[in-house]
Amino acid sequence: MRMKKAYRLKSRVAFQSVYTQGRSAANRAAVVHALKQEAGTATRVGFAAGRRLGKAVVRNRVKRRLREAVRSLWPRIRPGHHVVVVGRQAAVDMPFPELREKIEELFERAGLLQREG
């Protein structure tokens, strides 16, 4: 199952506002930028991979893997945030279970996950 398009952050303006006004958490796999929105709005997530990761094929693969890691966490993500996940060099060759764990850790540190229970 794919993440619905309504939950994707796409515009440059949206990305810029998350970068400039939001808070961030980072590890070797990725950086998560989060900006709280008005209560009652759905959380929207955007994905980025800089040119230094490699050619387009590599960057797109990194974004696909990040997207899948976030999708698996989706039921636990709090509503009302705009989030940008930026892939880092280590994410290129990292085994997927480890990548998913690192993303979960970042979302936890950024306060984006609801308590399980």
Side-chain angles (χ1 to χ4, degrees):
M1 183 187 91
R2 286 177 57 172
M3 219 160 96
K4 289 196 173 111
K5 282 208 165 117
Y7 301 136
R8 297 284 292 283
L9 208 56
K10 290 201 176 110
S11 78
R12 181 173 173 78
V13 174
F15 270 68
Q16 283 305 123
S17 70
V18 173
Y19 287 141
T20 56
Q21 299 161 35
R23 297 168 46 118
S24 66
N27 60 24
R28 38 187 282 270
V31 182
V32 170
H33 298 270
L35 178 62
K36 192 149 180 51
Q37 299 298 304
E38 308 88 55
T41 58
T43 289
R44 299 177 68 198
V45 185
F47 298 89
R51 290 238 174 105
R52 64 173 56 174
L53 292 187
K55 303 246 186 237
V57 174
V58 174
R59 296 195 307 267
N60 289 335
R61 185 181 323 120
V62 167
K63 287 189 286 188
R64 273 197 309 272
R65 295 174 81 217
L66 292 172
R67 206 173 295 128
E68 179 56 29
V70 170
R71 190 191 66 79
S72 66
L73 291 172
W74 196 251
R76 293 179 46 209
I77 295 177
R78 292 175 192 262
H81 290 84
H82 280 181
V83 181
V84 176
V85 182
V86 183
R88 283 187 158 179
Q89 191 64 51
V92 175
D93 328 294
M94 191 176 278
F96 185 73
E98 188 183 344
L99 179 65
R100 188 187 171 287
E101 210 173 272
K102 297 280 187 195
I103 296 300
E104 185 173 358
E105 172 194 304
L106 285 177
F107 271 64
E108 187 75 53
R109 281 191 4 225
L112 296 169
L113 294 184
Q114 296 169 338
R115 297 276 160 241
E116 290 179 89

